[in-house]
């Protein structure tokens, strides 16, 4: 798009020309004029006009990139919220659409009644897709089932194609793959987290990072980095290292994020005391820092968490070989 030099009434002129082009059923001219106006003033009404035109032209991905800038304004009323959700249904991003609606409800951006209405609209398109595009759905499923044959760095990209499945099929595939020992735990954990975001309500049996089966209820759980235990660990670590050793702090924060992902969704069953968990890292990397506060009892506790932390490091190293 060329640079527009703003003159008085330019914005209004582009809007008027865009509206006129719509009356004449000239979508391309309408889109160009609204885009020219949007370059001058990025306002929600013009954003919505452009998004609607992009959807009509089948450009759902471009529409989403544009609409995200004004996501909150779309959900101020049901009519524009329906436009926003049309982006997800048209691009077959059903899972992301359901997750978004649940998050908006949790943050009180929409009401329960609005969520139900918008979910129903998404579900209608999803059901039609499931009936009419069986070959495409089966192709995605077949592709997912060979994810365990891919290198680790390719597995995550491959399994994310599951986001284009209808929700019932996604859940079916996810339940199978979280029990696949040949799939890396990064990939298995991704499915577990997506099911949690969907508020999957049934007991889920999965292979944990140690490849031992575990069963958990995911409903009400957040992602591994959105938990009280993660916040408490990070706060404890920052209180100790932020001023004394910011480089060590950064290194340990990265490892903690990795470890919490590995322990998800059962971190709370392993980490009973965030302070001891932090001391476990410091005892490994920075032992002189904690010498003064060591007691015999605390030493035993620290040694126990060090064993768990080392087991995660070993598991990570093995899957990266």
């Amino acid at each position: 798009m060329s640079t527009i030099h703003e003159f008085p009434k330019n914005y209004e002129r582009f809007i008027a020309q865009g509206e006129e082009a719509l009356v004449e059923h000239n979508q391309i001219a309408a889109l160009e004029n609204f885009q020219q106006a949007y370059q001058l003033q990025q306002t929600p009404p013009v954003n919505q006009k452009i998004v609607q035109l992009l959807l009509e032209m089948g450009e759902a991905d471009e529409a989403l990139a544009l609409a995200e800038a004004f996501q909150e304004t779309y959900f101020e009323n049901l009519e524009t919220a329906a436009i926003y959700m049309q982006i997800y249904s048209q691009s077959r991003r059903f899972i992301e659409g359901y997750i978004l609606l649940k998050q908006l409800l949790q943050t009180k951006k929409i009401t329960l009644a609005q969520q139900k209405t918008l979910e129903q609209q998404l579900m209608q398109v999803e059901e039609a897709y499931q009936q009419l595009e069986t070959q495409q759905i089966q192709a995605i499923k077949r592709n997912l089932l060979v994810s365990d044959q891919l290198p680790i760095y390719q597995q995550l990209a491959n399994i994310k194609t599951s986001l284009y499945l209808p929700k019932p099929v996604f859940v079916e595939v996810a339940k199978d793959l979280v029990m696949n020992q040949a799939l890396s735990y990064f990939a298995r954990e991704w499915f577990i987290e997506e099911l949690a975001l969907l508020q999957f309500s049934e007991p889920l049996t999965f292979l944990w990072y140690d490849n031992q089966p575990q069963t958990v209820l995911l409903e009400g759980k957040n992602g591994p980095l959105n938990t009280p235990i993660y916040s408490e660990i990070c706060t404890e670590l920052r209180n100790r290292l932020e001023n004394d050793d910011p480089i060590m702090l950064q290194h340990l924060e990265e490892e903690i994020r990795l470890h919490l992902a590995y322990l998800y969704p059962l971190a709370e069953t392993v980490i009973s005391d965030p302070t001891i968990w932090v001391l476990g890292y410091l005892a490994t990397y920075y032992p002189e820092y904690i010498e003064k506060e060591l007691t015999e009892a605390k030493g035993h506790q620290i040694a126990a968490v060090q064993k768990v932390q080392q087991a995660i490091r070993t598991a990570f190293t093995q899957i990266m070989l």
Side-chain angles (χ1 to χ4, degrees):
M1 191 186 302
S2 59
T3 301
I4 303 300
H5 299 286
E6 186 170 6
F7 295 101
K9 304 296 182 181
N10 248 8
Y11 175 80
E12 291 81 359
R13 179 167 60 83
F14 285 128
I15 295 294
Q17 289 175 176
E19 296 290 359
E20 185 178 339
L22 283 179
V23 172
E24 296 171 354
H25 305 290
N26 189 339
Q27 290 181 319
I28 294 175
L31 180 62
E32 287 176 351
N33 277 284
F34 290 141
Q35 286 175 329
Q36 301 278 43
Y38 194 70
Q39 191 173 353
L40 295 174
Q41 293 183 40
Q42 296 188 358
T43 62
V46 182
N47 183 288
Q48 291 163 16
K49 290 178 187 296
I50 297 172
V51 164
Q52 283 183 288
L53 281 166
L54 289 171
L55 286 172
E56 289 171 16
M57 295 174 173
E59 301 292 342
D61 289 338
E62 189 177 345
L64 178 60
L66 191 69
E68 284 177 332
F70 286 101
Q71 185 188 87
E72 285 196 19
T73 64
Y74 276 87
F75 288 93
E76 288 175 355
N77 65 74
L78 202 54
E79 183 180 352
T80 51
I83 296 170
Y84 199 93
M85 294 313 299
Q86 187 184 340
I87 299 172
Y88 286 93
S89 58
Q90 191 168 312
S91 60
R92 306 296 185 254
R93 298 168 184 256
F94 302 111
I95 304 304
E96 293 174 84
Y98 286 120
I99 289 172
L100 173 63
L101 290 175
K102 292 182 187 303
Q103 290 172 337
L104 290 170
L105 180 65
Q106 287 175 341
T107 54
K108 300 182 179 179
K109 302 288 176 56
I110 58 174
T111 66
L112 181 60
Q114 289 171 326
Q115 184 210 21
K116 295 295 183 186
T117 299
L118 294 167
E119 271 194 350
Q120 188 62 39
Q121 292 172 3
L122 191 60
M123 200 178 300
Q124 287 173 354
V125 179
E126 180 185 56
E127 288 172 354
Y129 172 67
Q130 193 166 355
Q131 292 172 6
L132 299 173
E133 301 291 344
T134 54
Q135 290 186 343
Q136 184 173 347
I137 292 168
Q138 290 303 317
I140 294 173
K141 286 179 65 177
R142 286 194 299 272
N143 179 58
L144 289 167
L145 293 175
V146 299
S147 296
D148 57 8
Q149 300 172 27
L150 298 172
I152 300 299
Y153 65 89
Q154 290 182 6
Q155 286 185 11
L156 274 177
N158 195 63
I159 63 174
K160 287 182 180 180
T161 60
S162 64
L163 292 173
Y164 295 93
L165 290 171
K167 183 179 172 182
V169 182
F170 175 87
V171 170
E172 170 199 335
V173 169
K175 287 166 67 176
D176 285 342
L177 290 179
V178 296
M179 288 296 293
N180 185 341
Q181 185 171 338
L183 199 64
S184 76
Y185 190 65
F186 281 125
R188 299 201 301 264
E189 188 272 340
W190 182 85
F191 277 112
I192 296 167
E193 191 170 347
E194 292 300 303
L195 288 170
L197 291 171
L198 284 169
Q199 297 180 13
F200 181 66
S201 58
E202 300 171 17
L204 177 72
T205 300
F206 65 98
L207 295 181
W208 206 16
Y209 78 93
D210 57 2
N211 289 323
Q212 297 303 306
Q214 303 284 347
T215 300
V216 67
L217 281 171
L218 292 174
E219 197 169 18
K221 284 192 176 291
N222 295 312
L225 306 186
N226 293 310
T227 57
I229 198 76
Y230 174 72
S231 297
E232 290 171 28
I233 289 170
C234 287
T235 299
E236 177 72 24
L237 190 67
R238 286 170 192 148
N239 288 341
R240 289 172 175 272
L241 293 182
E242 197 161 32
N243 295 323
D244 293 345
D245 197 333
I247 295 175
M248 176 63 75
L249 172 63
Q250 184 178 4
H251 164 74
L252 289 179
E253 283 180 331
E254 290 174 2
E255 185 166 58
I256 286 166
R257 285 192 287 271
L258 172 67
H259 287 190
L260 267 288
Y262 258 69
L263 293 174
Y264 185 78
L266 299 173
E268 290 82 358
T269 67
V270 175
I271 306 172
S272 57
D273 186 334
T275 299
I276 296 296
W277 190 258
V278 168
L279 291 176
Y281 293 116
L282 295 175
T284 299
Y285 296 110
Y286 206 169
E288 63 275 16
Y289 183 87
I290 64 168
E291 284 178 355
K292 293 181 180 179
E293 59 184 293
L294 275 181
T295 63
E296 185 175 351
K298 192 176 283 187
H300 289 309
Q301 291 176 300
I302 292 169
V305 301
Q306 280 182 291
K307 286 181 65 176
V308 178
Q309 292 166 354
Q310 186 55 45
I312 298 172
R313 293 186 193 103
T314 301
F316 175 70
T317 302
Q318 287 174 345
I319 68 167
M320 297 305 290
L321 292 177

